[in-house]
Amino acid sequence: MTTGICTGRVAVVTGAGRGLGRAHALALAAEGAKVVVNDLGVGLDGTGGAPGPARQVVDEIRARGGEAVGHGGDVATPEGAASLIATALQTFGRLDTLVNNAGFLRDRMLVNLDEDDWDAVMRVHLKGHFLPLKHACAHWRAEAEAGRTPEARVINTSSGAGLLGSVGQGNYAAAKAGIVALTLVAAAETSRYGVQVNAIAPAARTRMTEQTFADAMAAPEGGFDAMAPENVSPLVVWLGSAASAGVTGRVFEAEGGRITVMEGWRPGPSADKGARWTPAEAGEATLKLLAEAEVPQPVYGAR
């Protein structure tokens, strides 16, 4: 059942040709948003590229009576990110919501991880969030300074790997952790311009997860498919709408029918000598503090 919660809004979704991005684009359009569908059409490891996936999603939205336009630029480049925002403004005359979702995997254990694989994953995830965010917020700042303060929304895509770590995914986990920090900074810096910035850590069946979680993520023969990417999209739609007023700088885990507000680093047990510690004193105090502290959540894939 749709409610039209995004009627009149214009949304940009990166990596929207497949998986979670496709589900978000379709859900936003179903709720009345006009959508810019960005996708390079690359393979799981980021190689190759074709316009087909983005075009197919645009066609799906239009077939359902919605409005959409495709964008095939690389959002991890200044030119691609700028043209993404320009496409929304030139096609639909405004921009209200940015969903940063694009990414790919190059998983290796740390000692086998090549520098190129590190750089490529950091580039698409972290830089691919930063540049669209930068250009969108520059537009919204200009609008606010012109007396047209927007109800702007940004939804970034982190991961449980970025919150807890994940064995074999040092590059991906580091990038996704960086996205959380970027979200917090952006939320603090842009609130004066009418911008709200949040992040999600989704768990769903996509090309990026189907091999890692093949058994757990098999689609059921009947009943509720808890791992369908469409389960994550309602939260994204709400966060991307004006109805989420006042919600910013937050991280949400979304999986199946569950939504969790994730609570990050905050001070735990502490000791203050009031003077410089010796190494032995520092060690003794630290062991006492650790005994009082909560046990960390395990890293995904750790034994």
Side-chain angles (χ1 to χ4, degrees), residues 29-260:
E31 291 293 345
K34 301 173 183 178
V35 184
V36 179
V37 178
N38 164 265
D39 202 280
L40 280 175
V42 298
L44 183 59
D45 63 353
T47 59
R55 187 185 305 123
Q56 290 172 7
V57 176
V58 169
D59 289 344
E60 285 186 75
I61 291 173
R62 291 175 177 173
R64 300 176 186 184
E67 295 185 55
V69 65
H71 178 269
D74 182 353
V75 297
T77 66
E79 299 79 13
S83 71
L84 175 68
I85 303 308
T87 296
L89 298 176
Q90 293 168 6
T91 306
F92 300 122
R94 60 184 296 133
L95 173 64
D96 301 284
T97 300
L98 169 64
V99 181
N100 282 316
N101 171 77
F104 55 72
L105 295 177
R106 291 190 184 177
D107 292 351
R108 300 282 191 281
M109 299 298 283
L110 188 61
V111 296
N112 296 323
L113 185 61
D114 293 334
E115 185 177 352
D116 287 347
D117 293 331
W118 173 274
D119 289 345
V121 168
M122 294 296 287
R123 175 185 179 276
V124 69
H125 288 280
L126 194 48
K127 194 174 183 181
H129 271 62
F130 159 64
L131 287 173
L133 178 60
K134 171 185 170 69
H135 286 280
C137 287
H139 164 69
W140 289 323
R141 180 182 64 180
E143 287 292 286
E145 290 176 346
R148 300 183 295 270
T149 301
E151 291 181 304
R153 306 288 186 263
V154 179
I155 300 93
N156 292 329
T157 306
S158 184
S159 167
L163 303 177
L164 299 176
S166 180
V167 172
Q169 294 189 306
N171 49 1
Y172 178 74
K176 289 302 191 183
I179 287 168
V180 171
L182 177 63
T183 298
L184 302 181
V185 172
E189 289 185 354
T190 64
S191 61
R192 73 189 73 178
Y193 309 129
V195 183
Q196 295 182 184
V197 188
N198 294 286
I200 59 168
R205 186 191 315 103
T206 69
R207 292 190 305 162
M208 289 174 57
T209 59
E210 62 185 0
Q211 293 184 0
T212 305
F213 305 108
D215 294 334
M217 292 194 172
E221 293 183 3
F224 177 53
D225 182 358
M227 301 314 298
E230 290 78 10
N231 298 329
V232 177
S233 299
L235 175 61
V236 171
V237 170
W238 183 79
L239 288 171
S241 74
S244 63
V247 179
T248 193
R250 293 287 193 164
V251 180
F252 301 89
E253 202 171 63
E255 174 185 351
R258 179 174 58 85
I259 295 171
T260 304

Side-chain angles (χ1 to χ4, degrees), residues 6-23:
C6 289
T7 298
R9 295 180 69 82
V10 173
V12 167
V13 185
T14 70
R18 303 181 180 95
L20 283 164
R22 172 182 175 275

